[in-house]
Amino acid sequence: HAGISAKKEALVNFLTDPSDESSTLRPADVLVFGWVGGKHTCVDLTRVSLLVGLSSRGFSVGQAALKAASCKVAKHEKVCIENQHVFIPFAFDTFGFLAPEAV
């Protein structure tokens, strides 16, 4: 109803290895067509537990979600940009903290 076109678990051809035609990275969790500046947007949904990465140095709110978002950007953003797509990590923890990119 909002006029947004999207597809779940969308296969995108630049996330495959042309030499063996098998996927080298997972498909986009959600592919939103023409979302950011007219470019298609690959959204990676990541839910993490608050206990992930808990150490003796203490606990800080959102630490696990921020780390997950950073890892996803390092893994997927470059290939998306090279193929004229935008990458957005949508990372959140089990208590509802959202990484800034998700907001």
Side-chain angles (χ1 to χ4, degrees):
H1 297 282
I4 298 171
S5 182
K7 183 176 181 181
K8 296 187 296 186
E9 294 295 324
L11 296 174
V12 286
N13 62 357
F14 56 84
L15 296 180
T16 60
D17 182 357
S19 65
D20 65 6
E21 298 181 6
S22 67
S23 179
T24 57
L25 299 173
R26 293 183 55 214
D29 290 329
V30 178
L31 182 63
V32 184
F33 301 100
W35 183 250
V36 176
K39 293 184 178 182
H40 301 331
T41 303
C42 298
V43 180
D44 186 283
L45 303 171
T46 305
R47 178 181 57 98
V48 295
S49 167
L50 291 175
L51 302 178
V52 170
L54 192 59
S55 67
S56 59
R57 292 177 285 173
F59 171 80
S60 81
V61 174
Q63 177 180 3
L66 292 172
K67 183 175 180 176
S70 175
C71 289
K72 294 291 184 168
V73 166
K75 183 176 181 181
H76 301 297
E77 186 175 53
K78 182 180 178 196
V79 72
C80 286
I81 290 170
E82 288 171 352
N83 287 278
Q84 308 303 314
H85 284 59
V86 174
F87 177 77
I88 298 177
F90 192 99
F92 57 98
D93 67 26
T94 51
F95 279 179
F97 176 86
L98 293 172
E101 298 88 352
V103 176

PDB file of all heavy atoms in Angstrom, residues 16-42:
ATOM      1  N   THR A  16      27.411 -14.039  -6.216  1.00  0.00           N
ATOM      2  CA  THR A  16      27.776 -15.394  -6.619  1.00  0.00           C
ATOM      3  C   THR A  16      29.169 -15.396  -7.222  1.00  0.00           C
ATOM      4  O   THR A  16      29.665 -14.365  -7.681  1.00  0.00           O
ATOM      5  CB  THR A  16      26.788 -15.967  -7.656  1.00  0.00           C
ATOM      6  OG1 THR A  16      26.800 -15.119  -8.799  1.00  0.00           O
ATOM      7  CG2 THR A  16      25.382 -16.044  -7.091  1.00  0.00           C
ATOM      8  N   ASP A  17      29.787 -16.546  -7.232  1.00  0.00           N
ATOM      9  CA  ASP A  17      31.102 -16.714  -7.842  1.00  0.00           C
ATOM     10  C   ASP A  17      30.896 -17.178  -9.277  1.00  0.00           C
ATOM     11  O   ASP A  17      30.427 -18.294  -9.504  1.00  0.00           O
ATOM     12  CB  ASP A  17      31.901 -17.751  -7.055  1.00  0.00           C
ATOM     13  CG  ASP A  17      33.303 -17.941  -7.591  1.00  0.00           C
ATOM     14  OD1 ASP A  17      33.648 -17.316  -8.615  1.00  0.00           O
ATOM     15  OD2 ASP A  17      34.053 -18.710  -6.987  1.00  0.00           O
ATOM     16  N   PRO A  18      31.207 -16.334 -10.268  1.00  0.00           N
ATOM     17  CA  PRO A  18      30.957 -16.692 -11.669  1.00  0.00           C
ATOM     18  C   PRO A  18      31.679 -17.959 -12.122  1.00  0.00           C
ATOM     19  O   PRO A  18      31.214 -18.650 -13.004  1.00  0.00           O
ATOM     20  CB  PRO A  18      31.455 -15.486 -12.455  1.00  0.00           C
ATOM     21  CG  PRO A  18      31.721 -14.415 -11.474  1.00  0.00           C
ATOM     22  CD  PRO A  18      31.822 -15.036 -10.124  1.00  0.00           C
ATOM     23  N   SER A  19      32.795 -18.296 -11.503  1.00  0.00           N
ATOM     24  CA  SER A  19      33.561 -19.459 -11.951  1.00  0.00           C
ATOM     25  C   SER A  19      32.854 -20.780 -11.660  1.00  0.00           C
ATOM     26  O   SER A  19      32.962 -21.724 -12.411  1.00  0.00           O
ATOM     27  CB  SER A  19      34.952 -19.463 -11.322  1.00  0.00           C
ATOM     28  OG  SER A  19      34.862 -19.620  -9.918  1.00  0.00           O
ATOM     29  N   ASP A  20      32.139 -20.863 -10.548  1.00  0.00           N
ATOM     30  CA  ASP A  20      31.457 -22.117 -10.252  1.00  0.00           C
ATOM     31  C   ASP A  20      29.947 -21.959 -10.095  1.00  0.00           C
ATOM     32  O   ASP A  20      29.242 -22.899  -9.781  1.00  0.00           O
ATOM     33  CB  ASP A  20      32.052 -22.804  -9.026  1.00  0.00           C
ATOM     34  CG  ASP A  20      31.853 -22.009  -7.741  1.00  0.00           C
ATOM     35  OD1 ASP A  20      31.171 -20.976  -7.751  1.00  0.00           O
ATOM     36  OD2 ASP A  20      32.385 -22.450  -6.706  1.00  0.00           O
ATOM     37  N   GLU A  21      29.450 -20.761 -10.323  1.00  0.00           N
ATOM     38  CA  GLU A  21      28.020 -20.456 -10.276  1.00  0.00           C
ATOM     39  C   GLU A  21      27.356 -20.838  -8.954  1.00  0.00           C
ATOM     40  O   GLU A  21      26.179 -21.118  -8.891  1.00  0.00           O
ATOM     41  CB  GLU A  21      27.288 -21.109 -11.446  1.00  0.00           C
ATOM     42  CG  GLU A  21      27.767 -20.603 -12.790  1.00  0.00           C
ATOM     43  CD  GLU A  21      27.026 -21.237 -13.949  1.00  0.00           C
ATOM     44  OE1 GLU A  21      26.062 -21.984 -13.707  1.00  0.00           O
ATOM     45  OE2 GLU A  21      27.417 -20.984 -15.096  1.00  0.00           O
ATOM     46  N   SER A  22      28.136 -20.840  -7.891  1.00  0.00           N
ATOM     47  CA  SER A  22      27.544 -21.098  -6.585  1.00  0.00           C
ATOM     48  C   SER A  22      27.627 -19.834  -5.743  1.00  0.00           C
ATOM     49  O   SER A  22      28.494 -18.991  -5.949  1.00  0.00           O
ATOM     50  CB  SER A  22      28.260 -22.243  -5.870  1.00  0.00           C
ATOM     51  OG  SER A  22      29.582 -21.869  -5.546  1.00  0.00           O
ATOM     52  N   SER A  23      26.742 -19.704  -4.818  1.00  0.00           N
ATOM     53  CA  SER A  23      26.678 -18.507  -3.998  1.00  0.00           C
ATOM     54  C   SER A  23      27.867 -18.450  -3.050  1.00  0.00           C
ATOM     55  O   SER A  23      28.172 -19.407  -2.357  1.00  0.00           O
ATOM     56  CB  SER A  23      25.376 -18.493  -3.195  1.00  0.00           C
ATOM     57  OG  SER A  23      25.315 -17.349  -2.392  1.00  0.00           O
ATOM     58  N   THR A  24      28.555 -17.311  -3.048  1.00  0.00           N
ATOM     59  CA  THR A  24      29.674 -17.120  -2.132  1.00  0.00           C
ATOM     60  C   THR A  24      29.216 -16.362  -0.889  1.00  0.00           C
ATOM     61  O   THR A  24      29.862 -16.414   0.131  1.00  0.00           O
ATOM     62  CB  THR A  24      30.815 -16.341  -2.803  1.00  0.00           C
ATOM     63  OG1 THR A  24      30.298 -15.095  -3.269  1.00  0.00           O
ATOM     64  CG2 THR A  24      31.407 -17.128  -3.941  1.00  0.00           C
ATOM     65  N   LEU A  25      28.141 -15.645  -0.992  1.00  0.00           N
ATOM     66  CA  LEU A  25      27.555 -14.934   0.133  1.00  0.00           C
ATOM     67  C   LEU A  25      26.064 -15.243   0.158  1.00  0.00           C
ATOM     68  O   LEU A  25      25.482 -15.615  -0.851  1.00  0.00           O
ATOM     69  CB  LEU A  25      27.758 -13.419  -0.014  1.00  0.00           C
ATOM     70  CG  LEU A  25      29.196 -12.928  -0.059  1.00  0.00           C
ATOM     71  CD1 LEU A  25      29.225 -11.433  -0.372  1.00  0.00           C
ATOM     72  CD2 LEU A  25      29.883 -13.174   1.264  1.00  0.00           C
ATOM     73  N   ARG A  26      25.445 -15.064   1.296  1.00  0.00           N
ATOM     74  CA  ARG A  26      24.013 -15.305   1.391  1.00  0.00           C
ATOM     75  C   ARG A  26      23.252 -14.274   0.564  1.00  0.00           C
ATOM     76  O   ARG A  26      23.736 -13.180   0.335  1.00  0.00           O
ATOM     77  CB  ARG A  26      23.575 -15.197   2.849  1.00  0.00           C
ATOM     78  CG  ARG A  26      24.149 -16.319   3.686  1.00  0.00           C
ATOM     79  CD  ARG A  26      23.665 -16.257   5.106  1.00  0.00           C
ATOM     80  NE  ARG A  26      22.222 -16.252   5.123  1.00  0.00           N
ATOM     81  CZ  ARG A  26      21.507 -15.589   6.020  1.00  0.00           C
ATOM     82  NH1 ARG A  26      22.089 -14.890   6.947  1.00  0.00           N
ATOM     83  NH2 ARG A  26      20.198 -15.626   5.980  1.00  0.00           N
ATOM     84  N   PRO A  27      22.053 -14.622   0.123  1.00  0.00           N
ATOM     85  CA  PRO A  27      21.246 -13.624  -0.590  1.00  0.00           C
ATOM     86  C   PRO A  27      20.858 -12.491   0.361  1.00  0.00           C
ATOM     87  O   PRO A  27      20.935 -12.637   1.576  1.00  0.00           O
ATOM     88  CB  PRO A  27      20.013 -14.417  -1.028  1.00  0.00           C
ATOM     89  CG  PRO A  27      19.969 -15.597  -0.141  1.00  0.00           C
ATOM     90  CD  PRO A  27      21.375 -15.894   0.284  1.00  0.00           C
ATOM     91  N   ALA A  28      20.434 -11.389  -0.204  1.00  0.00           N
ATOM     92  CA  ALA A  28      19.971 -10.271   0.626  1.00  0.00           C
ATOM     93  C   ALA A  28      18.737 -10.727   1.396  1.00  0.00           C
ATOM     94  O   ALA A  28      17.835 -11.328   0.821  1.00  0.00           O
ATOM     95  CB  ALA A  28      19.633  -9.077  -0.244  1.00  0.00           C
ATOM     96  N   ASP A  29      18.702 -10.450   2.702  1.00  0.00           N
ATOM     97  CA  ASP A  29      17.514 -10.817   3.490  1.00  0.00           C
ATOM     98  C   ASP A  29      16.289 -10.117   2.928  1.00  0.00           C
ATOM     99  O   ASP A  29      15.230 -10.714   2.776  1.00  0.00           O
ATOM    100  CB  ASP A  29      17.700 -10.463   4.966  1.00  0.00           C
ATOM    101  CG  ASP A  29      18.732 -11.351   5.650  1.00  0.00           C
ATOM    102  OD1 ASP A  29      18.874 -12.531   5.250  1.00  0.00           O
ATOM    103  OD2 ASP A  29      19.389 -10.875   6.583  1.00  0.00           O
ATOM    104  N   VAL A  30      16.453  -8.832   2.632  1.00  0.00           N
ATOM    105  CA  VAL A  30      15.393  -8.054   1.981  1.00  0.00           C
ATOM    106  C   VAL A  30      16.053  -7.175   0.930  1.00  0.00           C
ATOM    107  O   VAL A  30      17.038  -6.491   1.219  1.00  0.00           O
ATOM    108  CB  VAL A  30      14.622  -7.165   2.988  1.00  0.00           C
ATOM    109  CG1 VAL A  30      13.564  -6.335   2.280  1.00  0.00           C
ATOM    110  CG2 VAL A  30      14.004  -7.996   4.098  1.00  0.00           C
ATOM    111  N   LEU A  31      15.534  -7.210  -0.279  1.00  0.00           N
ATOM    112  CA  LEU A  31      16.006  -6.331  -1.348  1.00  0.00           C
ATOM    113  C   LEU A  31      14.885  -5.337  -1.626  1.00  0.00           C
ATOM    114  O   LEU A  31      13.785  -5.722  -2.012  1.00  0.00           O
ATOM    115  CB  LEU A  31      16.339  -7.130  -2.607  1.00  0.00           C
ATOM    116  CG  LEU A  31      16.887  -6.326  -3.781  1.00  0.00           C
ATOM    117  CD1 LEU A  31      18.218  -5.668  -3.427  1.00  0.00           C
ATOM    118  CD2 LEU A  31      17.063  -7.225  -5.002  1.00  0.00           C
ATOM    119  N   VAL A  32      15.170  -4.056  -1.365  1.00  0.00           N
ATOM    120  CA  VAL A  32      14.178  -3.008  -1.578  1.00  0.00           C
ATOM    121  C   VAL A  32      14.554  -2.292  -2.867  1.00  0.00           C
ATOM    122  O   VAL A  32      15.660  -1.758  -2.994  1.00  0.00           O
ATOM    123  CB  VAL A  32      14.129  -2.011  -0.392  1.00  0.00           C
ATOM    124  CG1 VAL A  32      13.021  -0.988  -0.604  1.00  0.00           C
ATOM    125  CG2 VAL A  32      13.937  -2.751   0.925  1.00  0.00           C
ATOM    126  N   PHE A  33      13.648  -2.284  -3.818  1.00  0.00           N
ATOM    127  CA  PHE A  33      13.926  -1.729  -5.142  1.00  0.00           C
ATOM    128  C   PHE A  33      13.796  -0.209  -5.141  1.00  0.00           C
ATOM    129  O   PHE A  33      12.792   0.338  -4.690  1.00  0.00           O
ATOM    130  CB  PHE A  33      12.977  -2.346  -6.173  1.00  0.00           C
ATOM    131  CG  PHE A  33      13.103  -3.846  -6.243  1.00  0.00           C
ATOM    132  CD1 PHE A  33      12.195  -4.663  -5.594  1.00  0.00           C
ATOM    133  CD2 PHE A  33      14.150  -4.433  -6.930  1.00  0.00           C
ATOM    134  CE1 PHE A  33      12.320  -6.045  -5.638  1.00  0.00           C
ATOM    135  CE2 PHE A  33      14.296  -5.812  -6.975  1.00  0.00           C
ATOM    136  CZ  PHE A  33      13.369  -6.620  -6.327  1.00  0.00           C
ATOM    137  N   GLY A  34      14.842   0.475  -5.634  1.00  0.00           N
ATOM    138  CA  GLY A  34      14.821   1.930  -5.770  1.00  0.00           C
ATOM    139  C   GLY A  34      14.675   2.683  -4.462  1.00  0.00           C
ATOM    140  O   GLY A  34      14.094   3.756  -4.427  1.00  0.00           O
ATOM    141  N   TRP A  35      15.244   2.180  -3.379  1.00  0.00           N
ATOM    142  CA  TRP A  35      14.989   2.751  -2.045  1.00  0.00           C
ATOM    143  C   TRP A  35      15.849   3.968  -1.734  1.00  0.00           C
ATOM    144  O   TRP A  35      15.352   5.012  -1.359  1.00  0.00           O
ATOM    145  CB  TRP A  35      15.213   1.674  -0.992  1.00  0.00           C
ATOM    146  CG  TRP A  35      14.916   2.108   0.397  1.00  0.00           C
ATOM    147  CD1 TRP A  35      15.822   2.321   1.390  1.00  0.00           C
ATOM    148  CD2 TRP A  35      13.638   2.389   0.966  1.00  0.00           C
ATOM    149  NE1 TRP A  35      15.185   2.709   2.530  1.00  0.00           N
ATOM    150  CE2 TRP A  35      13.848   2.758   2.302  1.00  0.00           C
ATOM    151  CE3 TRP A  35      12.345   2.375   0.472  1.00  0.00           C
ATOM    152  CZ2 TRP A  35      12.805   3.094   3.147  1.00  0.00           C
ATOM    153  CZ3 TRP A  35      11.306   2.708   1.312  1.00  0.00           C
ATOM    154  CH2 TRP A  35      11.543   3.062   2.638  1.00  0.00           C
ATOM    155  N   VAL A  36      17.163   3.880  -1.864  1.00  0.00           N
ATOM    156  CA  VAL A  36      18.059   4.972  -1.487  1.00  0.00           C
ATOM    157  C   VAL A  36      18.604   5.628  -2.749  1.00  0.00           C
ATOM    158  O   VAL A  36      19.372   5.022  -3.483  1.00  0.00           O
ATOM    159  CB  VAL A  36      19.222   4.464  -0.596  1.00  0.00           C
ATOM    160  CG1 VAL A  36      20.198   5.585  -0.289  1.00  0.00           C
ATOM    161  CG2 VAL A  36      18.699   3.839   0.679  1.00  0.00           C
ATOM    162  N   GLY A  37      18.201   6.834  -3.011  1.00  0.00           N
ATOM    163  CA  GLY A  37      18.668   7.558  -4.190  1.00  0.00           C
ATOM    164  C   GLY A  37      18.372   6.823  -5.488  1.00  0.00           C
ATOM    165  O   GLY A  37      19.131   6.926  -6.437  1.00  0.00           O
ATOM    166  N   GLY A  38      17.293   6.086  -5.520  1.00  0.00           N
ATOM    167  CA  GLY A  38      16.913   5.332  -6.705  1.00  0.00           C
ATOM    168  C   GLY A  38      17.655   4.009  -6.865  1.00  0.00           C
ATOM    169  O   GLY A  38      17.379   3.248  -7.783  1.00  0.00           O
ATOM    170  N   LYS A  39      18.595   3.727  -5.958  1.00  0.00           N
ATOM    171  CA  LYS A  39      19.348   2.471  -6.026  1.00  0.00           C
ATOM    172  C   LYS A  39      18.641   1.387  -5.220  1.00  0.00           C
ATOM    173  O   LYS A  39      17.991   1.662  -4.212  1.00  0.00           O
ATOM    174  CB  LYS A  39      20.762   2.658  -5.475  1.00  0.00           C
ATOM    175  CG  LYS A  39      21.625   3.559  -6.321  1.00  0.00           C
ATOM    176  CD  LYS A  39      23.032   3.623  -5.774  1.00  0.00           C
ATOM    177  CE  LYS A  39      23.903   4.492  -6.664  1.00  0.00           C
ATOM    178  NZ  LYS A  39      25.275   4.536  -6.171  1.00  0.00           N
ATOM    179  N   HIS A  40      18.792   0.158  -5.680  1.00  0.00           N
ATOM    180  CA  HIS A  40      18.267  -0.969  -4.933  1.00  0.00           C
ATOM    181  C   HIS A  40      19.080  -1.109  -3.646  1.00  0.00           C
ATOM    182  O   HIS A  40      20.278  -0.819  -3.614  1.00  0.00           O
ATOM    183  CB  HIS A  40      18.350  -2.257  -5.732  1.00  0.00           C
ATOM    184  CG  HIS A  40      17.611  -2.208  -7.036  1.00  0.00           C
ATOM    185  ND1 HIS A  40      16.498  -1.432  -7.260  1.00  0.00           N
ATOM    186  CD2 HIS A  40      17.832  -2.860  -8.185  1.00  0.00           C
ATOM    187  CE1 HIS A  40      16.066  -1.603  -8.486  1.00  0.00           C
ATOM    188  NE2 HIS A  40      16.871  -2.464  -9.082  1.00  0.00           N
ATOM    189  N   THR A  41      18.423  -1.558  -2.594  1.00  0.00           N
ATOM    190  CA  THR A  41      19.061  -1.634  -1.284  1.00  0.00           C
ATOM    191  C   THR A  41      18.998  -3.048  -0.732  1.00  0.00           C
ATOM    192  O   THR A  41      17.916  -3.625  -0.619  1.00  0.00           O
ATOM    193  CB  THR A  41      18.384  -0.660  -0.300  1.00  0.00           C
ATOM    194  OG1 THR A  41      18.446   0.662  -0.861  1.00  0.00           O
ATOM    195  CG2 THR A  41      19.059  -0.666   1.045  1.00  0.00           C
ATOM    196  N   CYS A  42      20.164  -3.588  -0.394  1.00  0.00           N
ATOM    197  CA  CYS A  42      20.253  -4.898   0.250  1.00  0.00           C
ATOM    198  C   CYS A  42      20.226  -4.672   1.759  1.00  0.00           C
ATOM    199  O   CYS A  42      21.095  -3.988   2.303  1.00  0.00           O
ATOM    200  CB  CYS A  42      21.551  -5.599  -0.119  1.00  0.00           C
ATOM    201  SG  CYS A  42      21.732  -5.937  -1.879  1.00  0.00           S
TER     202      CYS A  42
END
